[in-house]
Structure formats: structure tokens, C-alpha cells
Amino acid sequence: MESTLKRTWAVIDLDALKENYDKLRRHIGPGVKFLGVVKADAYGHGAIQVSRVLQRCGADYLAVSSADEAVELRRGGITMPILILGHTPKEQVENLIRNNITQAVTCRAKALEYSEEAVRCGGTLKIHIKVDTGMSRLGYLVAGDHFATGVEGICESCRLPGLDAEGIFTHFAVSDEEDEESREYTREQFALFTAVIEKVEEKLGRKFRLRHCANSGAVANWPEMLLDMVRPGLLVYGCGEGARKLGLRPVMRLMTSISTTKTYGPGTSVSYGRIFRTERTTRMGVVPYGYADGFFRSLSGRCSLMTAQGPAPQRGRICMDMCMIDLTDLPEVDVGDEVEVFGPHNPVEELAALAGTIPYELTCAVSKRVPRVYFENGKETERELLLRF
Ligand SMILES: *Cc1c(COP(=O)(O)O)cnc(C)c1O
């Protein structure tokens, strides 16, 4: 591990995570439960470490995207409720029941399969019904002409043996967008969701214990849509527009270091493809951070990394294991100095915008070669290297 530190590493600030949780808790108010989305290894931050903090802080639920991710958390000592948002093959039902894991149910066919399996193994599977109100991805179709059959399908599913329909949820497509068309779409999704719930509860003669729809965008922008429980991911990690608005702090700080500096005369081509040529005497730093670490090659020549003296423009093609940054105007920066790829001094949102993508993709892309170093109460508490030795 020592060998890989001082190369490229991700500092995970668990104090920022706790602070974000506390702020979000205060923001949503006392009557609303909190589900933290920790799928995809907690957006690259480390699912077990993040979940432990959320569990200790008193979060109510966690969500992941697959049975494997859920079981990983159980093995890591997480005892709080976990919801699987994505697809789980029916062969996993027994495993889910044994591990007390809740499964999203997205259509009648799945409900029937899960019910059969639960009955066969003599257990009860806790489920949350997923309603498609306009994301057009997973979920019972309920829009327009599908309303009655959708409601009927949900009711049928909830009555099946071996299933306990604890919750019902939907997912927004544009809750983080500010334009009026998007806002209207979100209002329509919410109205359809509440109409479905009302009808289903009336037909079943019982209430769902957990109705939820608010992802990060809705938590930040739609206080009237929090219902029984909120379901943020990105906000927890202090990323995105909403995080700025709510005063949340980025949890990940991706760091690299200067391995070598070299000075070239004018007219020297740099890196593969020779897309960059020096125009003046240029002092170039080589940093051990390339696309195999999660840097996007499409950002070649289009971004800066942050040194202690200021931004250093990235030059030439980004390679697999390294890239070059221009230190000509930063004479104080030298070999061994730390450089921030993204974090508090180089916002991940800006880097994402330059790459034509969203911050989610950048934190998820930090590869297993990059060790995560955890800080709590200002002190390093754990290092995790995902490479196998
Ligand atoms: C990923 C996901 C979330 C969290 O989304 P954020 O935008 O990160 O808050 C919530 N709900 C579902 C169904 C998801 O897939």
C-alpha cells in the first residue's frame, strides 16, 4: 500500500459525509426517513465505509443496485434495511430473505416469480413496488391508458403470498433541472405517483409504510415531494448543483503527485499523437494519473489539475498510466508535490462539464488501482486498496 500512496489516491472525508448527512437531515425535517443510495461502491467512495457512517449516524435505509452489492454490505456488518433498486434473478430470493434484504418489484411477472420462490423456501420477501411515472425505465406502467391495468397489477402483486409490500416508489427523470418544462414534468410525475398510491391503497384497504420518490434533485428542489422517505445519492457525497445550494461538502478528493519535471524548448511535441507542441520553453510535469485510473482520455488538452500554486493545464494525450501538466507558469511546483484532480479546490462539477458528463461518472470511474484513504475526526482511519495481492 505504501508503494501506491504518493502515486494517485482518493481521500474520502468521512467528516464531510457526516456533516452532509446532518445537514440533509435538518433540511428534510424530523418526520421524513432517510435512505442513502450507496450503489456502485457508494459512487466510488467505498460502500462499506460510507454505509457504516450512515448506519452510525442513524440513517433509516440504504439502497444498492444488485444482490451482490447488498450481500457485500451484510458481510461488512451493515444491519440496517437495504433496498435493491435493480434487477435480481429469482434464484436469489432465498438469499435475499436469509439476509433480510428488500427487493424492488418492477412488474407483475417479477412479482409472481418472487412470490413463488418465497413460498417455496417458506419465507417472506420484503418488497417495494416500483412505479414508472415517466422515467420509462423500470416499473409498473401507469401513464395515460395504462392507469387502471397498472393499478390492478400493483394490487395483485401486493396480495401475492410470500411478499410483504412495505413500500412504493418512483424515480424522477428531470427533478434536478430548473427549466419550466422540466419542472412541469416533475410535477406531473409526482401527481401521477400520488394518484396511483391513492387508488392502490383504496383498493387494498391498507397503507404503504414507505412512499418515496425524492432523489437528490427532488431533495434539493422539491420540498413538497419528500413523502415518507427521501432517496438521495449524489447529495450525500456533496456533489452537483444541489449540494452547492444546500452547502454540502465534497466527500472525495482525488489526488495525484508530480513524478518528474522536464523542460523542453519551443516546438517540442508531447505525448501520443503529437497533438500538443510547445510554443515556448516549457516546464512539463508528469503525473501518474491516466485513463486506467479513471481519467477520461476525451479530456486530453481540455482541463487543468490543481497544484498548490494554482491550476496547471493538462497537455497532450492522456495516456493509460500518466499524463502531462504544464508547470511553466508555476515555478514553485516541483517533484513530489501533491496535485488535486478534483475535490474542494477543483470542483468535480467543472471537470465533468468539460468532459460533457455529470459528476456521478467521474467519481464512479476512479478505478480499483486508486487506493481510498479514509479520514475521520481529521485523522486517517483506514486505507483500502482494491487490487488483489
Ligand atoms: C441512483 C438512484 C437514486 C439516487 O440518485 P441521485 O441522483 O444520486 O440522488 C435514487 N433512486 C434510484 C431509483 C436510483 O437508481
Side-chain angles (χ1 to χ4, degrees):
M1 170 68 89
E2 289 301 334
S3 59
T4 59
L5 280 180
K6 298 301 285 182
R7 182 186 173 270
T8 295
W9 66 102
V11 175
I12 310 297
D13 183 350
L14 298 178
D15 296 321
L17 177 68
K18 282 192 265 189
E19 222 179 275
N20 292 349
Y21 174 82
D22 287 340
K23 280 196 177 153
L24 286 168
R25 237 327 163 204
R26 260 175 277 134
H27 175 73
I28 62 176
V32 179
K33 287 185 158 49
F34 188 101
L35 175 152
V37 178
V38 296
K39 65 192 179 194
D41 204 25
Y43 296 29
H45 295 69
I48 290 180
Q49 289 85 351
V50 166
S51 298
R52 280 183 188 144
V53 169
L54 293 178
Q55 179 162 282
R56 229 185 307 130
C57 287
D60 301 282
Y61 235 109
L62 296 171
V64 294
S65 69
S66 70
D68 291 342
E69 288 184 342
V71 170
E72 180 193 23
L73 294 182
R74 285 284 179 257
R75 290 198 183 139
I78 303 300
T79 53
M80 57 192 287
I82 300 172
L83 170 65
I84 298 175
L85 298 165
H87 170 67
T88 300
K90 65 176 195 296
E91 290 75 13
Q92 288 288 326
V93 164
E94 192 167 357
N95 190 17
L96 298 190
I97 293 173
R98 197 165 354 101
N99 283 292
N100 191 23
I101 292 163
T102 311
Q103 175 61 44
V105 171
T106 57
C107 60
R108 268 183 79 251
K110 288 267 183 335
L112 284 165
E113 282 184 356
Y114 292 156
S115 164
E116 259 177 44
E117 282 294 318
V119 168
R120 195 186 52 76
C121 66
T124 302
L125 178 66
K126 216 179 269 175
I127 61 165
H128 286 204
I129 296 289
K130 171 101 186 245
V131 187
D132 179 3
T133 56
M135 177 73 176
S136 309
R137 197 172 63 175
L138 292 175
Y140 289 78
L141 203 47
V142 292
D145 294 345
H146 300 285
F147 188 85
T149 46
V151 163
E152 198 41 56
I154 294 169
C155 290
E156 246 183 75
S157 304
C158 292
R159 291 195 195 100
L160 289 170
L163 302 183
D164 170 20
E166 173 188 56
I168 186 163
F169 72 110
T170 194
H171 196 44
F172 292 126
V174 285
S175 62
D176 56 342
E177 310 267 346
E178 308 273 345
D179 62 288
E180 196 38 53
E181 191 186 337
S182 297
R183 289 179 61 80
E184 187 51 34
Y185 196 77
T186 302
R187 275 186 218 105
E188 284 168 14
Q189 280 198 267
F190 186 70
L192 180 54
F193 183 49
T194 47
V196 167
I197 294 172
E198 195 181 329
K199 198 78 195 163
V200 170
E201 288 185 339
E202 179 198 308
K203 280 178 167 265
L204 288 176
R206 69 167 192 83
K207 302 261 183 221
F208 289 99
R209 285 161 276 165
L210 295 171
R211 303 162 300 159
H212 50 107
C213 58
N215 56 356
S216 289
V219 170
N221 300 329
W222 295 98
E224 63 271 47
M225 298 184 185
L226 306 183
L227 296 175
D228 301 320
M229 181 161 81
V230 294
R231 210 174 62 234
L234 198 67
L235 284 180
V236 176
Y237 309 106
C239 299
E241 275 303 301
R244 298 289 84 76
K245 203 159 120 181
L246 299 175
L248 308 175
R249 287 204 288 140
V251 174
M252 186 187 290
R253 186 173 185 221
L254 184 60
M255 302 296 293
T256 187
S257 53
I258 300 194
S259 69
T260 307
T261 63
K262 291 169 66 193
T263 301
Y264 305 109
T268 308
S269 69
V270 174
S271 194
Y272 289 120
R274 306 182 66 201
I275 60 168
F276 179 77
R277 282 163 204 253
T278 58
E279 283 174 2
R280 52 173 178 167
T281 300
T282 299
R283 188 166 160 267
M284 204 69 89
V286 183
V287 296
Y289 173 57
Y291 59 78
D293 299 292
F295 208 2
F296 292 174
R297 189 169 171 280
S298 58
L299 279 170
S300 293
R302 300 175 45 218
C303 65
S304 292
L305 306 190
M306 190 58 73
T307 71
Q309 309 298 318
Q314 192 279 319
R315 303 292 194 205
R317 284 263 159 78
I318 292 166
C319 309
M320 184 183 287
D321 309 310
M322 59 195 102
C323 66
M324 275 58 90
I325 59 176
D326 194 332
L327 302 174
T328 312
D329 297 325
L330 304 162
E332 314 275 284
V333 178
D334 215 336
V335 170
D337 286 2
E338 300 186 352
V339 177
E340 184 178 293
V341 177
F342 60 75
H345 308 288
N346 205 23
V348 67
E349 294 79 10
E350 286 177 21
L351 202 58
L354 289 171
T357 185
I358 49 177
Y360 303 70
E361 199 181 357
L362 267 69
T363 64
C364 283
V366 176
S367 80
K368 69 174 185 179
R369 187 162 80 184
V370 177
R372 273 64 166 174
V373 183
Y374 292 87
F375 275 78
E376 199 164 2
N377 302 317
K379 285 203 310 274
E380 185 183 323
T381 52
E382 189 184 341
R383 292 176 185 183
E384 178 158 44
L385 184 55
L386 303 168
L387 289 177
R388 293 175 297 263
F389 285 104

